[in-house]
């Protein structure tokens, strides 16, 4: 019999049965009242989940479409973007700017670091800066960025600059009230906290961001064009064939999140992160980022031990998929996600598989030590935050 | 009880249960051997289905991503594209060129017309022309373009020009052997003949097209970049998070098509088209396009009768979804698709609903007249081409 699998990668995350049942439905016509009603509801629920009154658009595509849209429709010739780059996803933002030959100032930090408000403000104060881009969570390192205070610092030195936050892995798992924190462009993807397979990405656009977008009519972008997408918003009718069955399923997942209440969802992620970190400590391991995000825990592999071997044991012998480091971090870390439809028991399975994988690969671990520490955390958590 | 539905729109088409069962599976990690094996198989099966040895890439996105990629990576500054425009999809190709400010020569024809080889060659002979773009089927009018002979004529006058064919609605339903007909860039989408929901698009790229793409490194495109997509081809590892559950299901649908045999699939579409056209004639109605494609039948609404009313009756009373005209053709036609997982009985349901809708809205139709004519065609078709 095939292994019974538990998916703990920082995207894709597990999808609830209620949502997958929607995915199995027969195809249906997308230029229809049915679609328009679903898209309207998806957009309205995304506003609730992102805590914003801004327009929210949904693209059929990877999270990268939302990133591209947030940049190319905004940064005009002669102006520049400030990008925080301290991991693979910062590098992606940089690559997008470079491919489009946009003005660019990169605040480059070591992997695992998070920028201070002062560091970002220092770059943002140049009046040529049209927008600042960074992440709620840099998924490749597990680092959390202080979106609230960085935003305040940026607005202080450059009130005109737009504030673009990649929440692809962070959204829903971590608090990021878009309006309260002054986020003009908030990017998200379906396959993380939003409890769906990959295929949709989201972008919220503030009124002042729309003003900038309107001035960029000639931007070299078609599929990712915000002006084209906006034309269809009043009728909830996107310009290009939407993956309508995914929208329908996303609507179901959003209903579940709204029913639970987003603050409860945040707390659940925090509890699972805390449990995992207690286990990491009990196992004598170290966290990688200075300031860890709540949606995943990134752990350094013990000196001399290739994390790939541990991950392979966890997956091939126990059916638990943890993620490796990306790029030059491959073999050097474990990434254990808490995002989306992830329960306390899933988290314990992840810790158990990590322990078993470490032991099988020669690291002297006392089986159950991490589990007991994590159980302690779960035991103290209010019942309603557990799945 | 909700109406039992039959979907006969020219995208999305119906999805077989075997494929939908895949869509319901739990999410899984995309940076994995599992994904790489699936993508390899998808690409190889798409080569079989498109009858090509060229590289085939799959994008997560609407068909428009494949269109955009086929244009922006190819047409360089100072060169130009020839685009045939005789319907909504030709207009989309034109819009893409315009948004990117590319050199452009539009061969504009009345809706419903198909270009002759001479008309296209006349535009293509200019040495500044880098590529010619047109459709296998212009879905908005139901017109079929003569890809084989237009290609020959273009190569005769301009052997260097690339040949880009939008097969989004036509692929698999109509013959278009990519290599035999010299198609350099062949675009397709998941939600038509490929028997999937929307969400994936495909593009085949010939070796001579790759040469042009290589010279266009600086093209303003990131998500739709062919060079980025190519980097991952040897490992079957796309640059941006693929909608991996859709790839898995697409692989299943492709297996079904390959098992059936693509020539049989073409014949099935032709038989369903022929049956529908026999019905149209028997009902005293007229086809819209001069040269009708096999993947859908587009019928003029009788004088003075708004097709929207007929379509509404068919859908709201009988659960059969036919498509309306698009843009300025709305209210003036019926579009009945034969693409994908569509059976003889589905086709008869479409005709029955059309008859009932016409009668309910005051058009003097003899119920069953169209059905009988269509049945005659089905009765004569070899058993193996029917679903």
């Amino acid at each position: 019999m095939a292994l019974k699998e538990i998916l703990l990668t920082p995207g894709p995350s597990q999808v609830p049965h209620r949502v997958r049942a929607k995915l199995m439905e027969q195809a249906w016509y997308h230029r229809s009242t049915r679609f328009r009603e679903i898209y309207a509801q998806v957009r309205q629920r995304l506003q609730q989940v992102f805590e914003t009154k801004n327009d929210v658009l949904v693209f059929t595509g990877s999270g990268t479409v939302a990133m591209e849209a947030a940049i190319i429709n905004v940064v005009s010739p002669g102006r520049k973007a400030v990008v925080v780059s301290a991991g693979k996803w910062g590098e992606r933002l940089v690559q997008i700017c470079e491919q489009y030959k946009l003005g660019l100032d990169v605040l480059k930090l070591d992997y695992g670091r998070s920028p201070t408000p002062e560091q970002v403000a220092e770059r943002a104060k140049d009046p040529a800066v049209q927008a600042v881009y960074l992440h709620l969570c840099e998924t490749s390192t597990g680092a959390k960025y202080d979106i609230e205070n960085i935003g305040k610092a940026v607005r202080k030195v450059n009130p005109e600059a737009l504030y673009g936050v990649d929440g692809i892995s962070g959204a829903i798992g971590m608090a990021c009230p878009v309006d309260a924190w002054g986020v003009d462009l908030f990017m998200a993807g379906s396959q993380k906290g939003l409890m769906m397979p990959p295929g949709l990405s989201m972008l919220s656009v503030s009124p002042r961001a729309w003003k900038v977008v309107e001035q960029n009519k000639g931007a070299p972008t078609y599929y990712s064009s915000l002006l084209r997408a906006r034309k269809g918003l009043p009728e909830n009718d996107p310009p290009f064939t939407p993956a309508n069955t995914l929208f329908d399923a996303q609507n179901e997942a959003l209903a579940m999140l709204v029913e639970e209440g987003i603050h409860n969802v945040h707390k659940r992620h925090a509890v699972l992160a805390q449990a995992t970190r207690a286990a990491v400590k009990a196992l004598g391991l170290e966290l990688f980022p200075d300031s860890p995000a709540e949606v995943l825990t990134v752990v350094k592999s013990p000196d001399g031990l290739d994390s790939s071997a541990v991950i392979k044991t966890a997956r091939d012998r126990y059916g638990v998929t943890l993620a490796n480091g990306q790029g030059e971090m491959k073999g050097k870390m474990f990434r254990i996600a808490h995002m989306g439809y992830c329960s306390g028991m899933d988290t314990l399975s992840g810790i158990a598989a990590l322990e078993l994988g470490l032991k099988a690969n020669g690291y002297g671990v006392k089986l159950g030590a991490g589990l007991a520490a994590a159980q302690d955390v779960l035991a103290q958590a209010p019942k309603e935050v557990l799945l």
Side-chain angles (χ1 to χ4, degrees), chain A residues 95-123:
Chain A
Q95 277 182 0
I96 294 172
C97 294
E98 287 174 347
Q99 183 67 38
Y100 289 104
K101 302 184 174 70
L102 303 175
L104 175 64
D105 183 6
V106 182
L107 172 58
K108 199 163 168 50
L109 304 171
D110 286 344
Y111 286 4
R113 301 289 95 79
S114 297
T116 63
E118 295 70 31
Q119 284 174 314
V120 182
E122 180 58 30
R123 305 300 182 105

Side-chain angles (χ1 to χ4, degrees), chain A residues 275-295:
Chain A
T276 305
R277 285 151 205 188
V280 165
K281 199 174 164 189
L283 295 171
L285 300 175
E286 244 184 293
L287 297 183
F288 181 73
D290 290 346
S291 170
E294 288 89 347
V295 292

Side-chain angles (χ1 to χ4, degrees), chain A residues 240-298:
Chain A
F240 314 123
T241 303
N244 57 337
T245 57
L246 297 184
F247 278 68
D248 191 23
Q250 181 65 83
N251 196 27
E252 192 71 16
L254 285 164
M256 292 174 73
L257 292 166
V258 170
E259 281 163 24
E260 180 178 351
I262 61 164
H263 299 293
N264 205 65
V265 176
H266 298 160
K267 277 183 211 150
R268 176 156 43 80
H269 283 75
V271 164
L272 300 181
Q274 200 194 334
T276 305
R277 285 151 205 188
V280 165
K281 199 174 164 189
L283 295 171
L285 300 175
E286 244 184 293
L287 297 183
F288 181 73
D290 290 346
S291 170
E294 288 89 347
V295 292
L296 81 164
T297 296
V298 179

